[in-house]
Amino acid sequence: MCGIVGYVGGREAREVLIDGLKRLEYRGYDSAGLALGSGEDLLIFKEVGKVVELERMLQEVPAGSHQGIGHTRWATHGGVSQVNAHPHKDGSGRFAVVHNGIIENYSELKDELEREGVIFLSQTDTEAIVHLVATSFSRTGDILETLVYLQKRLRGTFALALMWQDRPNSIYAIRRGSPLVLGSSEGEAFCASDIPAFLPYTRRVQYLEEGDIAEASPSGIKIWDEKGRPVERPVVTVDWDVTLTGKSGFSHYMLKEIYEQGAALRRSLKGRVVDGKTTVSRELGWNVEMVSKWKKIHIVACGSSYYSALAAERLLEKWTDLEIKVDIASEYRYRHIPCDTSTLAVFVSQSGETADTLAALRKAKAGGAHCLAITNVSSSTMAREVHSLLLLEAGPEIGVAATKSFTSQLAALFMVALQLGSMRGSLAPHEEERLVDELVRIPHKVELLLEKESEVREIARKYTGSKNMLFIGRGMSFPVAQEGALKLKEISYIHAEALAAGEMKHGPIALLEPEMPVLAVIPRDSLYEKTLSNMQEIKARNASLIAVCTEGDSLVPEQAGSVIEIPWTAEEFTPFLTVIPLQFLSFHIGSILGREIDQPRNLAKSVTVE
Ligand code: AGP
């Protein structure tokens, strides 16, 4: 995934673009670049590394440009190099393009263009776009006709911003399959992959639809559909608080977002669990007749979102009579799984832009399923393509590692499960009341637990030299063990693996040795004794044990060298609490190792390419 930004107006373009790229850096940071209009020609500046490297390069460049496009890259086609960094120009230097997405037929286009004498400088698919623009413009002489033709030729996904030397007061933008929003205010206009890029300058936003072509200029924004017909897109005023996208004094976004979880959960629950009942059916547009028709539920996601779905699976089994299937999106989209009007298909995605999850959504929708998105971004592609939408309300999550979005996804999924159980009559009212009564206490219990950060930091110090770590858990704790292993991998780069605790003796126990720490997620629940036995087996083989257990536990400390205690909660809701120490553990091990916590190597906040 990459971040693109464009600006035209009275400000110093490079300042707006650099500021915007820094706000989009969570989307990818292998290299960065920008093109500035300077009247005579388009000046290109690009550098490997993060935006700050590009900023350094620009210090020598004279000011005075008021038109530009910028890009921060997560490499797909072509390695990380200056020549592969965006923007890319055509041979004549009259056009420059930045792109987020993947052009699936780029080899075919490249062959065709090379036969016409075009010389490629990079290994990127994006370069084929700018050459195609130049060659078709030389035939048509009309920019809109050229961009309509471009869409006909390109296969794949693309959000594009384009500059044309002959239009020093315009930026062109096209959106298909990758997010692109427009911003405008008096005498200036913006385009970007995501709203935070230009939020300090304007709150007036227009969302492009699939296939839309736009021309943004200081006098306003014109939009056409993919056939070149003028269209109107509503201007909305976003009420995001700009400070929400800052670090508010924390060292890293990840730490800030770990601490925000109590407040984020309160926002996720607000108005949705009232007087012992779940009320999300209203915003989902569900009625009893509709809900009674469903026979199965598919939940599809990637990464941390998949692990929150696995936790929900166990509760849906308990609270509903539905047949449940939870799958990884990149698998689900290619499998032959029956899906029809009797299916409720749920797509969990913080960004609402993950390519595999989006493809799975479109497959299920085509199959006739009722599609529900659980996402944190109301303007996301997923949010706009489903039948029902449940927003996390967690506030922007900038750190690449999912933290508050994971616990808010748990809350959203659990409310959906409660709602399905109560509407289908498979969950008794008194049981729903018991559960809701505990659910509304979770935000406070999370906040109590956040006070244990320093305890976890001390434990983290012991494990910064580890090369591997095992995470084990049963029932509701197994998905948490999986999430904890992922956090450690993506933040500290230490290899970690999660196992169902009962699986240890089926092979993995052979791995045990003093250098192989094992973290057991063992709250007081119905499987506690089983996991305690596993801990005894592990201890007997001299591996070092860390444990996350319920306050007051006297048996676990006999097995584990390091213990983090969590407040008691109902078995169904232990994931909200057991995950917090794992978030802190990965953060502190990563910090001690000097890792790029908010922007780990090779990662991006949302993977909008397959
Ligand atoms: C989680 O820490 C990772 N950043 C990653 O696994 C993430 O959960 C996954 O890419 C899914 O992203 P989404 O929720 O935006 O779809």
Side-chain angles (χ1 to χ4, degrees):
M1 182 185 75
C2 307
I4 67 176
V5 61
Y7 174 74
V8 61
R11 301 173 200 263
E12 185 57 46
R14 89 170 80 179
E15 287 170 12
V16 176
L17 296 174
I18 289 291
D19 181 30
L21 288 177
K22 285 181 176 176
R23 294 169 186 278
L24 294 178
E25 214 163 17
Y26 67 88
R27 303 174 63 85
Y29 30 87
D30 293 331
S31 61
L34 54 83
L36 294 172
S38 70
E40 298 76 46
D41 52 28
L42 306 180
L43 303 177
I44 301 273
F45 306 93
K46 44 192 183 178
E47 188 56 278
V48 169
K50 298 172 73 171
V51 175
V52 69
E53 303 304 328
L54 175 67
E55 192 172 22
R56 268 194 210 107
M57 173 192 267
L58 287 167
Q59 277 164 0
E60 310 307 316
V61 174
S65 170
H66 303 288
Q67 172 209 30
I69 54 178
H71 185 273
T72 181
R73 185 174 185 238
W74 184 71
T76 52
H77 286 75
V80 177
S81 66
Q82 193 175 35
V83 75
N84 286 338
H86 300 208
H88 293 282
K89 279 208 291 194
D90 71 297
S92 71
R94 296 173 67 194
F95 296 97
V97 163
V98 290
H99 163 226
N100 174 31
I102 279 197
I103 304 305
E104 293 174 356
N105 61 331
Y106 114 89
S107 300
E108 166 197 326
L109 291 171
K110 182 175 179 182
D111 292 347
E112 178 190 314
L113 289 160
E114 284 181 330
R115 283 196 298 275
E116 290 178 21
V118 169
I119 295 168
F120 277 71
L121 303 178
S122 78
Q123 294 81 44
T124 67
D125 55 346
T126 305
E127 196 180 349
I129 297 173
V130 72
H131 290 314
L132 195 56
V133 167
T135 51
S136 54
F137 183 81
S138 62
R139 284 194 289 274
T140 66
D142 177 296
I143 191 68
L144 179 58
E145 199 178 323
T146 295
L147 297 180
V148 169
Y149 172 75
L150 180 72
Q151 285 225 59
K152 286 188 185 125
R153 296 300 314 276
L154 297 181
R155 271 206 326 274
T157 58
F158 44 92
L160 299 180
L162 176 136
M163 286 167 69
W164 173 26
Q165 189 181 33
D166 299 6
R167 288 282 185 282
N169 287 319
S170 294
I171 301 287
Y172 295 89
I174 304 182
R175 177 224 163 107
R176 192 167 81 196
S178 292
L180 197 59
V181 289
L182 301 176
S184 58
S185 69
E186 195 52 46
E188 58 185 1
F190 308 77
C191 69
S193 303
D194 199 356
I195 292 170
F198 54 67
L199 192 58
Y201 309 103
T202 183
R203 293 173 182 280
R204 289 166 43 87
V205 172
Q206 284 170 282
Y207 300 111
L208 292 181
E209 300 291 339
E210 290 291 274
D212 280 0
I213 300 166
E215 178 181 7
S217 71
S219 54
I221 288 173
K222 294 178 197 154
I223 304 175
W224 300 267
D225 67 13
E226 60 186 341
K227 295 190 178 355
R229 296 170 303 203
V231 290
E232 290 295 323
R233 299 295 178 224
V235 178
V236 297
T237 302
V238 291
D239 59 359
W240 283 17
D241 173 353
V242 180
T243 56
L244 274 180
T245 58
K247 289 185 206 169
S248 311
F250 283 92
S251 61
H252 295 87
Y253 281 111
M254 181 181 177
L255 192 60
K256 173 191 171 205
E257 288 150 9
I258 290 173
Y259 273 96
E260 280 180 338
Q261 290 181 102
L265 280 168
R266 280 196 186 86
R267 290 197 297 269
S268 299
L269 296 171
K270 190 174 178 210
R272 294 168 167 173
V273 277
V274 182
D275 299 334
K277 290 198 70 56
T278 326
T279 61
V280 293
S281 57
R282 276 203 307 263
E283 64 188 289
L284 296 175
W286 290 359
N287 59 50
V288 172
E289 184 195 353
M290 171 197 279
V291 169
S292 305
K293 271 190 336 185
W294 296 328
K295 294 187 177 60
K296 49 184 179 285
I297 178 170
H298 293 173
I299 314 181
V300 184
C302 300
S304 294
S305 301
Y306 171 62
Y307 300 137
S308 66
L310 288 175
E313 178 180 29
R314 287 158 169 79
L315 300 186
L316 282 160
E317 288 164 353
K318 281 174 78 169
W319 298 342
T320 78
D321 51 350
L322 287 161
E323 178 197 316
I324 321 288
K325 167 169 281 304
V326 176
D327 205 352
I328 293 168
S330 54
E331 292 295 308
Y332 181 88
R333 67 182 289 190
Y334 295 113
R335 294 175 67 178
H336 301 286
I337 302 172
C339 173
D340 53 31
T341 53
S342 71
T343 307
L344 168 63
V346 182
F347 301 91
V348 188
S349 174
Q350 190 285 134
S351 63
E353 300 296 349
T354 298
D356 286 320
T357 312
L358 188 54
L361 187 169
R362 289 169 175 166
K363 173 182 175 178
K365 191 173 179 181
H370 181 92
C371 295
L372 159 64
I374 294 179
T375 182
N376 200 29
V377 184
S378 60
S379 60
S380 64
T381 306
M382 274 181 229
R384 294 167 333 112
E385 295 198 5
V386 288
H387 303 107
S388 299
L389 172 64
L390 194 58
L391 292 174
L392 297 183
E393 306 293 359
E397 184 176 71
I398 307 297
V400 165
T403 48
K404 64 178 181 176
S405 64
F406 178 77
T407 44
S408 288
Q409 283 168 353
L410 293 175
L413 283 159
F414 293 3
M415 286 188 287
V416 167
L418 285 165
Q419 188 71 90
L420 286 167
S422 63
M423 290 179 83
R424 293 173 62 91
S426 51
L427 177 67
H430 72 272
E431 182 62 358
E432 181 183 8
E433 196 167 333
R434 172 187 75 83
L435 291 161
V436 167
D437 185 54
E438 179 58 19
L439 184 56
V440 299
R441 298 168 195 272
I442 290 295
H444 177 60
K445 293 185 176 181
V446 164
E447 284 164 345
L448 289 176
L449 192 44
L450 292 170
E451 289 166 17
K452 303 236 172 163
E453 179 192 355
S454 53
E455 268 183 57
V456 181
R457 184 172 53 237
E458 289 317 303
I459 293 170
R461 292 188 201 289
K462 299 181 201 168
Y463 297 97
T464 49
S466 304
K467 296 292 176 251
N468 300 282
M469 189 178 286
L470 291 182
F471 289 72
I472 64 169
R474 287 175 184 259
M476 294 300 285
S477 295
F478 179 29
V480 175
Q482 291 170 284
E483 169 60 8
L486 175 62
K487 286 281 121 2
L488 188 67
K489 283 183 278 194
E490 61 177 338
I491 294 301
S492 73
Y493 312 156
I494 291 172
H495 176 255
E497 181 182 357
L499 294 163
E503 274 295 284
M504 278 298 285
K505 52 186 164 306
H506 297 286
I509 203 163
L511 289 170
L512 295 186
E513 53 194 16
E515 301 73 39
M516 169 69 88
V518 178
L519 189 147
V521 184
I522 179 172
R524 175 68 69 180
D525 63 15
S526 59
L527 299 169
Y528 171 83
E529 282 75 17
K530 306 290 183 192
T531 307
L532 190 62
S533 301
N534 296 134
M535 290 181 68
Q536 287 154 350
E537 292 156 9
I538 292 164
K539 185 166 189 292
R541 289 161 178 79
N542 301 321
S544 66
L545 264 164
I546 311 165
V548 176
C549 64
T550 303
E551 281 166 358
D553 191 315
S554 58
L555 300 177
V556 165
E558 290 171 7
Q559 307 302 326
S562 305
V563 173
I564 305 136
E565 293 188 335
I566 64 167
W568 177 90
T569 187
E571 174 163 357
E572 294 85 350
F573 301 141
T574 53
F576 286 110
L577 304 181
T578 51
V579 77
I580 305 288
L582 309 189
Q583 294 170 343
F584 277 138
L585 185 70
S586 64
F587 173 82
H588 282 293
I589 291 178
S591 297
I592 294 165
L593 292 174
R595 303 300 190 217
E596 284 277 359
I597 302 287
D598 286 332
Q599 296 165 0
R601 68 186 179 196
N602 307 334
L603 293 185
K605 182 60 182 170
S606 165
V607 183
T608 59
V609 292
E610 187 172 355

